[in-house]
Amino acid sequence: MPSFFEFAAVLCALLGTFLLATHGNVKSLSISLLALFWGLLSAVALAFYTVFPKNLLQKYDTILLIAWGMLIGGICTNFVAPFWHLEGTFNFVSIGCILFVIFFGAMLPYLTFLYGVKYIGPTKSSLLASVEPLSSTAASVLWLHTHLESIDYIGIACIIATVFLLSIQPKPKIKEQKSIQSGPPA
């Protein structure tokens, strides 16, 4: 069971993500059935790859697990989009951009996430991953000049509060040890 602070962090993460995605209006989020399907499938996948590798991470090296996962994923992707049917212009800039996405958009984030699962556990790791909508929002404000509403700032504060709630470590309770007496007091 999650601790009080972990439960509060879950609520803050959910509320913050909801506020950023809907601006506080449930009716403003209109998605297709296909988008709902892929969103729910993504949620199941996140839950699976957050909890499942815990035992594997104790037995095998994190980099080895990611290497095998990416190899298997790459092979499976070739059934849908074979790598030899590439379209576009290839030069140093485009190859550099592809390598940037591979290393800094896929491999490094997942590597750090799995190290988090290994060292702080799946619950805290997945809650800290809720910062992703915040980073997406910050990127859209900086590069796309997206205007934030006041409710968005409340959502941002909720997500930041998640990180602070997870950093709180309650002090362990010290049980008083009673001396065992063999007889009545003198």
Side-chain angles (χ1 to χ4, degrees):
M1 288 296 294
S3 69
F4 170 78
F5 292 108
E6 289 173 339
F7 183 74
V10 167
L11 292 179
C12 281
L14 289 173
L15 178 62
T17 303
F18 169 78
L19 292 175
L20 284 174
T22 65
H23 302 295
N25 183 0
V26 179
K27 295 179 182 179
S28 71
L29 182 65
S30 58
I31 58 174
S32 67
L33 289 176
L34 188 61
L36 179 63
F37 168 77
W38 285 109
L40 292 174
L41 190 64
S42 296
V44 169
L46 172 67
F48 178 76
Y49 78 70
T50 300
V51 175
F52 183 74
K54 187 174 181 182
N55 293 333
L56 288 173
L57 289 168
Q58 292 173 351
K59 189 174 182 180
Y60 301 106
D61 185 48
T62 307
I63 294 174
L64 179 68
L65 291 175
I66 288 181
W68 274 106
M70 289 194 167
L71 177 66
I72 293 168
I75 291 170
C76 292
T77 301
N78 276 301
F79 292 113
V80 177
F83 72 91
W84 56 86
H85 290 152
L86 294 176
E87 296 179 14
T89 305
F90 292 97
N91 54 33
F92 287 115
V93 173
S94 64
I95 292 172
C97 290
I98 291 170
L99 291 175
F100 181 85
V101 169
I102 290 170
F103 289 108
F104 295 104
M107 194 171 75
L108 187 61
Y110 194 59
L111 180 66
T112 55
F113 178 76
L114 280 185
Y115 272 118
V117 169
K118 183 176 184 176
Y119 293 114
I120 65 172
T123 304
K124 288 184 180 180
S125 297
S126 60
L127 285 172
L128 289 172
S130 69
V131 175
E132 188 274 331
L134 180 61
S135 63
S136 299
T137 302
S140 68
V141 168
L142 291 174
W143 286 306
L144 303 175
H145 306 291
T146 303
H147 174 70
L148 293 180
E149 298 175 15
S150 58
I151 195 79
D152 296 325
Y153 291 107
I154 296 171
I156 289 170
C158 287
I159 292 174
I160 292 172
T162 298
V163 176
F164 286 111
L165 284 168
L166 289 176
S167 67
I168 296 173
Q169 296 291 329
K171 294 180 182 179
K173 295 180 182 179
I174 301 173
K175 295 183 179 180
E176 295 179 3
Q177 295 182 353
K178 296 182 180 181
S179 62
I180 301 174
Q181 299 177 354
S182 58

